[in-house]
Amino acid sequence: MATPGIFRAELSRSQVIWLTVGLADLVFIAVVAFSNLQTIYDSQKDFLVGTLFSVAGFCFGRAFSRTQEQRALEMISTPTEAVDRVLRRKMEERLHDEGAFRTLSVLDRDIEAAVGRLSEYYDSQARRLQFYRHAPLLRVALDDLDKAAANVATLRATLDGGKQARPDEGIPVSIRLDLMRTRRDLHEAIGRRDQAYEWLAGRMGADAHEAWDLFAVMTADMLKGDRMLEALGGQRIAYPVPEYLRTVHGYLAAALLRAEEFERVLAQHEIAKPTIYNVMIADLTSACTILSELVPKVIETKKPE
């Protein structure tokens, strides 16, 4: 059988005191009036017994009656829908009053500003031919900032009852495999580019400015495309996925054009290109082809049913 609610909660200090007084009253009745209890009962039965038992009843009533605080605590521990709604509203009001959401907005703005500055620095350094030796650390920093931004957005949504001021874009499961293939091909192409540079650095003179400029532009386009493609695998995607893919495809297509121009300049200077350079072109072309097919596929999955 279910235990009544008044016995489920622990007795407060005041309730224990009243319970003790009530028990003491009963003991007092039994001890003090033991010898002549029958006489007193016969002469003043209604008055005496009624008075003593009224005192005992009052004490027991106070002992086992719930205080307003206890009732409130019980309602909070097992809230109804109405109570839960009021509690959540009170919590949101307190968070607003204490500036929690304002602090989250400032934090989100600071993170976005940091991402913007690091991205600008990344893009400016991408033209440096030896940037690949230092790029991984910067990529880790950008990835950490992406996670921080996603955590801020999640925290804001949690505190705000699941609402999001700016809903993030999602990637359809049906195209994730194609994105993985694209990233793999692009990573392979960038790795072949680094090997080709090491091979060419010992065979091309520093005076081949035109060739090196083309190689640097090609490198920058590949790295920018790779960074943007990597953003699609991040925890927060702030812009439509097709726009990401179109931009990445534009970078890779531009990189292929620069690669062709670079080959022509090498031929003019009668400099042989390494075999690994052809592998780079093949990987880059594969990634570009997959992206061109992905854009209409993503748009189709985004259409409302």
Side-chain angles (χ1 to χ4, degrees):
M1 185 169 67
T3 305
I6 60 174
F7 295 105
R8 289 201 300 267
E10 294 183 358
L11 296 177
S12 65
R13 183 177 180 180
S14 63
Q15 289 176 299
V16 172
I17 293 175
W18 282 112
L19 179 61
T20 303
V21 172
L23 291 173
D25 179 63
L26 290 179
V27 172
F28 178 79
I29 295 172
V31 173
V32 174
F34 178 77
S35 60
N36 57 352
L37 184 60
Q38 186 62 44
T39 304
I40 296 174
Y41 179 78
D42 292 338
S43 61
Q44 299 290 336
K45 177 176 60 174
D46 296 336
F47 174 75
L48 182 60
V49 176
T51 300
L52 292 175
F53 276 100
S54 295
V55 174
F58 172 77
C59 294
F60 286 129
R62 291 297 302 269
F64 292 105
S65 63
R66 291 178 297 174
T67 64
Q68 184 177 6
E69 180 182 1
Q70 286 178 311
R71 289 195 297 270
L73 289 174
E74 286 187 15
M75 293 180 68
I76 292 174
S77 62
T78 56
T80 62
E81 183 178 350
V83 173
D84 184 69
R85 186 164 54 248
V86 172
L87 290 174
R88 180 170 290 278
R89 185 175 69 250
K90 289 294 184 181
M91 182 188 69
E92 291 177 1
E93 290 175 356
R94 181 176 179 181
L95 290 173
H96 278 290
D97 292 341
E98 295 182 356
F101 290 103
R102 182 171 61 253
T103 302
L104 283 176
S105 297
V106 174
L107 179 60
D108 191 35
R109 183 195 63 192
D110 291 343
I111 291 175
E112 287 191 358
V115 171
R117 293 188 181 98
L118 279 179
S119 297
E120 291 176 5
Y121 177 75
Y122 183 94
D123 292 344
S124 66
Q125 296 298 304
R127 287 176 56 93
R128 298 174 64 89
L129 297 175
Q130 297 183 4
F131 177 59
Y132 67 94
R133 297 175 181 174
H134 312 288
L137 183 59
L138 188 56
R139 298 283 284 271
V140 170
L142 286 168
D143 183 62
D144 289 341
L145 286 172
D146 172 72
K147 290 184 174 66
N151 289 335
V152 169
T154 301
L155 179 59
R156 179 193 296 277
T158 301
L159 296 179
D160 205 19
K163 303 173 185 175
Q164 285 183 290
R166 184 181 62 188
D168 294 341
E169 285 283 332
I171 301 178
V173 177
S174 58
I175 71 166
R176 287 186 180 274
L177 183 59
D178 290 329
L179 280 177
M180 292 175 60
R181 289 171 50 210
T182 306
R183 292 190 65 184
R184 181 197 62 200
D185 289 342
L186 184 53
H187 285 172
E188 290 295 326
I190 292 174
R192 303 293 181 262
R193 173 267 167 210
D194 298 341
Q195 292 176 308
Y197 168 76
E198 296 291 347
W199 191 90
L200 291 167
R203 293 167 174 78
M204 287 175 57
D207 56 339
H209 300 295
E210 182 182 5
W212 283 128
D213 286 344
L214 288 170
F215 196 86
V217 174
M218 177 196 72
T219 299
D221 288 335
M222 293 172 67
L223 291 179
K224 290 176 184 178
D226 184 49
R227 181 175 61 81
M228 185 160 288
L229 191 60
E230 191 174 51
L232 279 173
Q235 297 187 19
R236 186 177 69 164
I237 303 174
Y239 305 103
V241 175
E243 295 304 318
Y244 274 99
L245 297 179
R246 288 192 185 97
T247 304
V248 176
H249 181 267
Y251 279 130
L252 300 192
L256 281 173
L257 291 176
R258 300 294 85 77
E260 293 174 1
E261 294 175 8
F262 179 73
E263 287 188 61
R264 289 195 291 269
V265 173
L266 286 183
Q268 291 174 6
H269 289 80
E270 298 182 351
I271 300 175
K273 64 179 179 179
T275 304
I276 201 67
Y277 191 86
N278 295 329
V279 180
M280 180 200 75
I281 296 293
D283 290 334
L284 195 57
T285 302
S286 175
C288 200
T289 301
I290 296 173
L291 282 175
S292 64
E293 297 172 352
L294 267 183
V295 173
K297 187 184 297 187
V298 174
I299 294 176
E300 184 65 27
T301 59
K302 291 289 183 178
K303 288 181 180 180
E305 297 181 359

